[in-house]
Amino acid sequence: MTWAERFNRKVATSPFGKYFQLEFSGARKERKNSRFLTEIRAGLATFFAMAYIIAVNAHITAQSGGTCECPKTKEDFTCDKDEGYMLCLEVIRRDLITATAAIAALCSFMMGLGANIPIAVAPGMGLNAYFAFQVVGYHGTGPVSYNLAVTAVFVEGFIFVALSILGMRQWLARAIPASIKLATGAGIGLYLALIGLTYGAGIGAVTGATATPMELAGCLDVDKDEFGVCQHNKMRNPTFWVGLFCGGILTAILMMYRVKGAIIAGIALVSIISWPRNTSVTYFPHTPVGNDSFEFFKQVVTFHPIEKVLNVQDWNVAKAGSQFGLALITFLYVDILDTTGTLYSMARFGGFIDDRTQDFEGSAIAYTVDALGISIGSLMGSPPVTAYIESGAGISEGGRTGITAMVTGACFFISIFFAPIFASIPPWATGCTLILVGSMMMKATADINWSYPGDGIPAFITIMAMPFTYSIAYGLIAGIVSYAILNTTTWVIEKLSGGRIVPYAKEIKDPWTWKIPGGFFPRWTVRLVSGKKKFWESDSIYGDSESDIQNDGSNVGENDIAKRVDAGTPTVEVKDAEKRS
């Protein structure tokens, strides 16, 4: 037995190892093949796979303008040429770097400690873009102010707490049609890729136009007209080529060889190339903004306190009217699909999903931690947080317990003190990262049932509408409404015709029902009602066993559970439950 094995055994047999259910700990539900040192390595892998979010989230969210006031003029409506406003944006971006690292550290650590799953949490890609470009708008040109937007996020978090405790969030995620759930991830991927191609948070390969919806770009600022369209010298901007080759092609090659931290390597290389002054690709030109950024960069290690976006909620929601409600509902809707879908996909990837109930151990705690993180993050000026698909890197490294997420959280905490480095990463260093993340999210399209139009067409509409309307919300609405219209119409025709007129290939349609196995209520609620003393515990390793499902009454309808709660009856007749199932 090597020293590493002896050390792993010693940790496993300690109270610490038993709490996290490490193998050889003697815990009732040991996680097979879980080792302490492996969990440490897995946590580092997850951090290096998702550390890019510190710079990327700050870049994207700062495009909203934050709390900076834009003195709009006819010649400069978005204040792109206002030096005072641009200096204010630099402070906002530094604030958001601290906020991103802090909220990722807190939520990831609590996810591991509370839910004991190897899934890290941080401000969500896609959600931050929707927040910045659709709700608040570029430099505050949207329908809702930044202050009201973070208020909507704060309220959304506490609504999610209630939904998570009552089990509605889990049920909604399982009840959404499979094709729409799969298409949502792919649509968000295309949306992120489009952002990565633009100027504000990307490599500047495309730009909006007037004669056509979009045009090829890649030119210098002096070659743009008043609408930001390149008039001359397209594809001549040196930063475009540095971002494309060093941040895009090189990173993709490293990913092909499964090099750990490939995305971080690409971002680091482009940043290092862009840091020297007096070059054509410098991020620190000799301007007031460039000089201020360079002075901050030279500090290297320092703590930057959140100055302008801390606790800036505006509770005068009446002045926003219906726009506040629309933003709140959309955040709820998008988060239910995005956050919940990612948690489920990562739990399935790690082998934590119970095949019958489609739930996983600690799901209620995981959702509650995520929901509280949303509200806490909004106090720091951050868009909604979400579980990260990059957690798969840690799971692939052998992460099986919450120790992995706690290590990732500790790494994010350390990164708070390197704000000058993360604040000096240019947008052309992270643009290709968004494109590559988008390409990885497109993998879900392979599992969509394209053979049946009732599943395939709504899925395609969802994917198509997100980037084309520049809105995740509109894509989701278009997909779900089209799914409901197509499948409800065919169902009505089939019923009216007595089953004689049915769509072609209906037998291969993805099954859908609102009656999800495991019931509407969360597992702990069902076990509590059925009289189980340790209602917070399940019997199987990753969820509830078959006997647990039967004995705790999960197959009993939600009306039956509600009646027992009202009557104060803690018992469940197993035979009656079997009949109803």
Side-chain angles (χ1 to χ4, degrees):
M1 183 180 292
T2 64
W3 71 268
E5 292 173 337
R6 290 194 299 271
F7 182 75
N8 284 328
R9 288 288 184 95
K10 189 172 183 179
V11 174
T13 54
S14 68
F16 177 87
K18 191 169 185 179
Y19 175 82
F20 288 102
Q21 303 169 358
L22 293 171
E23 191 169 22
F24 308 117
S25 65
R28 187 169 62 89
K29 297 176 288 184
E30 290 183 357
R31 302 281 174 91
K32 292 183 179 179
N33 301 318
S34 57
R35 305 286 190 277
F36 178 73
L37 293 179
T38 303
E39 298 292 317
I40 300 293
R41 187 177 71 246
L44 293 173
T46 299
F47 172 75
F48 284 114
M50 63 181 289
Y52 69 88
I53 189 59
I54 300 175
V56 176
N57 180 63
H59 273 302
I60 292 176
T61 310
Q63 298 299 309
S64 68
T67 55
C68 297
E69 293 291 335
C70 174
K72 300 175 183 177
T73 63
K74 188 176 181 180
E75 294 76 18
D76 188 17
F77 185 73
T78 56
C79 299
D80 288 318
K81 301 175 183 178
D82 189 300
E83 288 185 355
Y85 184 78
M86 298 307 292
L87 285 170
C88 180
L89 282 188
E90 278 299 305
V91 178
I92 294 291
R93 196 161 67 87
R94 295 168 194 171
D95 286 355
L96 289 168
I97 284 171
T98 301
T100 302
I103 195 62
L106 176 64
C107 292
S108 297
F109 192 88
M110 294 309 299
M111 184 70 77
L113 182 64
N116 195 22
I117 54 177
I119 298 177
V121 181
M125 297 295 293
L127 288 168
N128 55 10
Y130 173 75
F131 177 96
F133 299 115
Q134 192 71 25
V135 178
V136 183
Y138 179 71
H139 289 187
T141 55
V144 177
S145 70
Y146 178 85
N147 304 70
L148 279 172
V150 292
T151 305
V153 174
F154 181 84
V155 174
E156 177 218 354
F158 280 101
I159 293 176
F160 263 5
V161 171
L163 293 178
S164 300
I165 293 175
L166 295 176
M168 292 180 65
R169 186 175 177 185
Q170 297 90 311
W171 178 86
L172 286 170
R174 290 180 285 160
I176 292 169
S179 61
I180 301 298
K181 282 192 284 190
L182 293 168
T184 297
I188 292 174
L190 286 180
Y191 184 52
L192 293 177
L194 180 58
I195 294 171
L197 288 170
T198 59
Y199 277 101
I203 59 176
V206 298
T207 185
T210 53
T212 58
M214 191 176 296
E215 282 189 5
L216 186 67
C219 63
L220 296 170
D221 289 339
V222 295
D223 296 318
K224 301 175 188 174
D225 62 13
E226 65 272 20
F227 302 107
V229 179
C230 291
Q231 298 298 302
H232 311 285
N233 299 322
K234 294 181 179 180
M235 310 287 285
R236 298 292 183 89
N237 193 333
T239 61
F240 164 76
W241 292 106
V242 170
L244 177 63
F245 280 100
C246 299
I249 294 175
L250 176 62
T251 303
I253 292 173
L254 294 177
M255 292 172 66
M256 292 171 66
Y257 287 98
R258 301 181 68 85
V259 175
K260 300 291 190 299
I263 290 178
I264 293 297
I267 293 175
L269 178 59
V270 177
S271 299
I272 292 170
I273 293 172
S274 304
W275 284 338
R277 308 192 82 174
N278 302 317
T279 69
S280 59
V281 296
T282 183
Y283 188 55
F284 306 115
H286 292 282
T287 63
V289 175
N291 294 334
D292 181 72
S293 299
F294 189 65
E295 289 301 317
F296 184 65
F297 168 70
K298 288 191 297 184
Q299 297 181 43
V300 182
V301 179
T302 188
F303 173 73
H304 173 76
I306 302 175
E307 299 175 12
K308 293 183 177 292
V309 298
L310 184 65
N311 192 22
V312 294
Q313 276 72 15
D314 181 2
W315 294 101
N316 186 17
V317 298
K319 62 183 179 183
S322 61
Q323 293 297 334
F324 176 84
L326 177 62
L328 175 60
I329 292 171
T330 305
F331 278 134
L332 277 169
Y333 191 59
V334 173
D335 240 353
I336 285 173
L337 290 177
D338 188 14
T339 308
T340 310
T342 303
L343 265 174
Y344 265 91
S345 61
M346 284 297 95
R348 182 172 292 281
F349 182 59
F352 309 134
I353 291 288
D354 185 279
D355 290 332
R356 178 174 177 82
T357 65
Q358 289 297 297
D359 205 354
F360 60 93
E361 181 187 358
S363 64
I365 298 176
Y367 286 121
T368 302
V369 169
D370 172 76
L372 289 173
I374 291 172
S375 293
I376 296 172
S378 72
L379 295 174
M380 300 181 187
S382 172
V385 303
T386 180
Y388 258 69
I389 202 75
E390 283 80 4
S391 301
I395 295 174
S396 298
E397 284 289 331
R400 292 292 178 270
T401 73
I403 299 173
T404 296
M406 292 170 66
V407 171
T408 302
C411 291
F412 272 113
F413 177 77
I414 295 172
S415 68
I416 293 174
F417 302 97
F418 291 88
I421 301 297
F422 288 102
S424 302
I425 296 175
W428 55 87
T430 57
C432 283
T433 295
L434 299 179
I435 298 170
L436 293 172
V437 170
S439 71
M440 290 185 285
M441 296 179 74
M442 289 298 294
K443 290 188 294 185
T445 57
D447 298 323
I448 294 175
N449 182 19
W450 297 108
S451 300
Y452 182 69
D455 292 324
I457 292 174
F460 175 73
I461 291 174
T462 303
I463 296 171
M464 172 191 67
M466 286 186 183
F468 289 171
T469 63
Y470 214 65
S471 170
I472 296 172
Y474 293 157
L476 289 169
I477 292 170
I480 290 181
V481 169
S482 62
Y483 182 93
I485 291 174
L486 292 177
N487 290 282
T488 301
T489 301
T490 55
W491 178 81
V492 170
I493 292 174
E494 181 179 353
K495 293 298 181 183
L496 293 177
S497 65
R500 292 186 294 274
I501 303 177
V502 296
Y504 176 76
K506 182 196 171 185
E507 64 277 3
I508 62 173
K509 178 184 183 299
D510 283 339
W512 179 86
T513 177
W514 65 274
K515 297 179 180 180
I516 307 297
F520 178 84
F521 290 92
R523 311 297 308 136
W524 68 268
T525 305
V526 179
R527 289 191 289 269
L528 175 64
V529 171
S530 59
K532 196 169 185 179
K533 291 183 178 179
K534 294 185 177 181
F535 60 88
W536 57 89
E537 292 183 352
S538 58
D539 290 340
S540 69
I541 296 177
Y542 298 132
D544 294 282
S545 65
E546 185 72 23
S547 60
D548 192 35
I549 291 172
Q550 291 177 352
N551 292 331
D552 70 10
S554 67
N555 287 331
V556 180
E558 48 264 30
N559 291 333
D560 296 325
I561 294 177
K563 289 176 182 177
R564 287 187 178 86
V565 173
D566 293 338
T569 305
T571 58
V572 173
E573 293 292 337
V574 176
K575 291 184 179 180
D576 290 343
E578 290 176 348
K579 289 178 182 178
R580 280 189 288 272
S581 65

